Amino acid sequence: MKSVPQTAFDVQKIRADFPILNQSINGKPLVYLDNAASTQKPQAMIDAIVHYYTHDNSNVHRGAHTLSDRATARFESARKTVADFINAKSTGQIIWTRGATESINLVAASWGGANLKAGDRILVPALEHHSNIVPWQMIAEKTGASVVAVPVDETGTIDMAALKALLDDRVKLLAVNHVSNALGTINPIEQMIKLAHAVGAKVLVDGAQAIAHWPLDVQAMDCDFYVFSGHKLFGPTGIGVLYGKRELLEQMPPYQGGGEMIETVSFDGTTFNQLPYKFEAGTPDIAAAIGLAAAIDYLNLQDRAAMAAHEDALLAYATAKALAVPGLKIIGTAASKAAVLGFTLDGMHPSDIGMLLDQQGVAVRTGHHCAQPIMQQYGIPGTVRASFSFYNTFEDIDRLFVALEKVRQLLS
Ligand SMILES: *Cc1c(COP(=O)(O)O)cnc(C)c1O
């Protein structure tokens, strides 16, 4: 029997930390290849949430009692964990949101509402997630600005010459994902940020897909805003992060009004709280913030370079196998890719393939992956997407392709 590749990374040890992976689906051991939609959770993160509700639960920043002090301390310590994780200068620049989507909506409504006017342009590459398209269309509609698509070539690579040609003094913002969830393309963020800044535009980076794969440094990157979701970083749903440069966040008006975000309230006028609380109206998802910090603590204990190398090896192994399948077309063939293999199979609908894979215990995503514009460019309704994390194995990929062969026999 042909042996599968090995990396130095001890994947079995890691898998033991993720209890959900150890189960059968439709009578077969689960192969979870839908990590771009949501990642699984280490026991340490689950334990942190249970511990919080068992011992510390209370509202934050309000109480004159011990539990509230404890909840506040853990909640604010979680913010510090996130700030350190992305190398933000201060915790005031870490705003809790419900996820990447809400973070982008916050910037669009608050920064966009205050800074955009008729004639201004927002550049959005054609491979963006709907979350990084629709909020810009909504604020453009209100302000008279326009959203202009940056072309992407047939490999799924942003056309940098076209971007340069589009960048002029009408452009106020470039909103771009770090890694495409539909294609896996890793975009040349640092170069794009430099080019945008040269014409005075701000840059929002949607890091929802990048954050789980490598360490990053928002100061070195010099982005104006960086957003991501907790649930794609081995943390809970319902929590996300907006990082912003301090001077921009200081100038931006509040997004929502309510408790927590004010300094004083009277019917003659209200003054707003300092950063980050100005943007955090209402009781936050305290447990989720603590859970996200536990997920980050877990990652910080690992060899992240080895994890990333393992993911790269999984993608290379899966890509080689895919190229050998008759009628299979890989969608997204950029030179620089992360952990995503999207494909179509001649004459077969992605959702039928997904269903038949699930019957064999293999979880993938099918459809347009919230990126209809790029699917339209490829002239397809959607793809089958297998997306990898460090807890996936080479055997998982073998299982995917064995299952896919059965699908081909059934459907052809
Ligand atoms: C998942 C994803 C989003 C949206 O994240 P939510 O958690 O649904 O808010 C935005 N952009 C990209 C690239 C994504 O992968």
Side-chain angles (χ1 to χ4, degrees):
M1 212 180 100
K2 197 164 142 279
S3 69
V4 295
Q6 299 291 324
T7 53
F9 181 63
D10 187 350
V11 67
Q12 292 306 334
K13 180 163 173 284
I14 285 283
R15 285 176 72 82
D17 297 333
F18 290 78
I20 203 171
L21 297 176
N22 184 24
Q23 66 174 302
S24 289
I25 298 288
N26 296 320
K28 303 273 166 47
L30 167 64
V31 172
Y32 186 77
L33 299 177
D34 194 18
N35 294 288
S38 201
T39 53
Q40 298 303 350
K41 318 305 176 195
Q43 187 65 51
M45 152 15 217
I46 300 166
D47 289 346
I49 290 181
V50 171
H51 185 276
Y52 170 73
Y53 279 126
T54 311
H55 298 283
D56 303 330
N57 176 56
S58 185
N59 211 329
V60 289
H61 307 133
R62 304 219 169 110
H65 60 80
T66 304
L67 284 188
S68 178
D69 288 347
R70 261 197 241 155
T72 304
R74 299 200 62 194
F75 180 68
E76 288 306 323
S77 146
R79 199 189 302 273
K80 175 81 169 79
T81 300
V82 169
D84 291 346
F85 187 62
I86 62 172
N87 195 33
K89 210 181 272 173
S90 68
T91 51
Q93 292 164 269
I94 302 297
I95 319 287
W96 296 120
T97 63
R98 287 192 300 120
T101 302
E102 189 177 47
S103 298
I104 297 170
N105 276 278
L106 191 165
V107 175
S110 171
W111 180 88
N115 290 284
L116 294 171
K117 56 181 189 319
D120 287 347
R121 291 181 148 196
I122 305 159
L123 297 189
V124 176
L127 48 51
E128 294 303 312
H129 189 284
H130 296 163
S131 292
N132 201 24
I133 301 174
V134 182
W136 304 117
Q137 290 175 326
M138 288 165 62
I139 196 64
E141 180 80 19
K142 278 205 182 115
T143 56
S146 54
V147 175
V148 179
V150 181
V152 169
D153 73 15
E154 64 288 350
T155 69
T157 305
I158 293 175
D159 181 339
M160 292 298 282
L163 172 66
K164 283 179 198 163
L166 282 168
L167 281 167
D168 59 28
D169 61 7
R170 290 173 296 180
V171 178
K172 295 298 179 296
L173 183 89
L174 167 65
V176 57
N177 59 38
H178 198 161
V179 171
S180 154
N181 66 303
L183 308 177
T185 311
I186 304 172
N187 293 312
I189 288 298
E190 286 83 0
Q191 192 192 350
M192 295 177 82
I193 291 169
K194 280 203 187 81
L195 290 168
H197 283 171
V199 298
K202 305 295 181 213
V203 181
L204 177 140
V205 180
D206 171 357
Q209 287 303 328
I211 192 79
H213 298 301
W214 343 272
L216 57 97
D217 179 336
V218 289
Q219 292 188 70
M221 196 186 293
D222 199 28
C223 55
D224 298 288
F225 302 103
Y226 199 93
V227 308
F228 61 89
S229 298
H231 72 98
K232 292 181 182 175
L233 184 61
F234 318 101
T237 51
I239 191 83
V241 170
L242 164 64
Y243 158 84
K245 284 190 177 162
R246 179 170 282 278
E247 58 277 18
L248 294 172
L249 295 173
E250 294 281 7
Q251 289 158 10
M252 283 159 54
Y255 173 53
Q256 294 177 330
E260 199 69 46
M261 52 76 70
I262 50 82
E263 188 177 59
T264 61
V265 177
S266 81
F267 286 99
D268 299 324
T270 290
T271 57
F272 302 125
N273 205 338
Q274 64 194 23
L275 288 175
Y277 312 111
K278 179 172 82 173
F279 294 110
E280 295 181 354
T283 300
D285 194 335
I286 304 160
I290 291 167
L292 176 56
I296 292 173
D297 287 342
Y298 173 84
L299 281 179
N300 285 339
L301 291 173
Q302 315 302 326
D303 178 347
R304 295 202 68 204
M307 283 174 157
H310 178 69
E311 289 173 359
D312 287 346
L314 290 171
L315 179 64
Y317 184 62
T319 302
K321 288 209 149 199
L323 290 171
V325 177
L328 185 151
K329 180 163 184 245
I330 298 177
I331 305 296
T333 51
S336 187
K337 276 185 66 176
V340 169
L341 181 74
F343 60 88
T344 57
L345 269 179
D346 266 355
M348 297 170 211
H349 198 280
S351 61
D352 295 338
I353 299 170
M355 214 178 57
L356 291 167
L357 291 177
D358 181 56
Q359 285 175 9
Q360 302 175 71
V362 179
V364 296
R365 182 79 144 207
T366 62
H368 55 63
H369 315 296
C370 300
Q372 282 180 352
I374 197 68
M375 295 295 138
Q376 283 156 13
Q377 179 174 323
Y378 281 104
I380 52 177
T383 65
V384 179
R385 181 186 69 187
S387 52
F388 313 117
S389 186
F390 51 72
Y391 43 62
N392 287 122
T393 63
F394 295 103
E395 289 80 5
D396 284 347
I397 290 166
D398 288 343
R399 286 272 311 281
L400 165 67
F401 283 95
V402 168
L404 206 56
E405 191 49 39
K406 279 213 181 112
V407 172
R408 280 193 346 108
Q409 282 159 19
L410 277 168
L411 291 184
S412 60

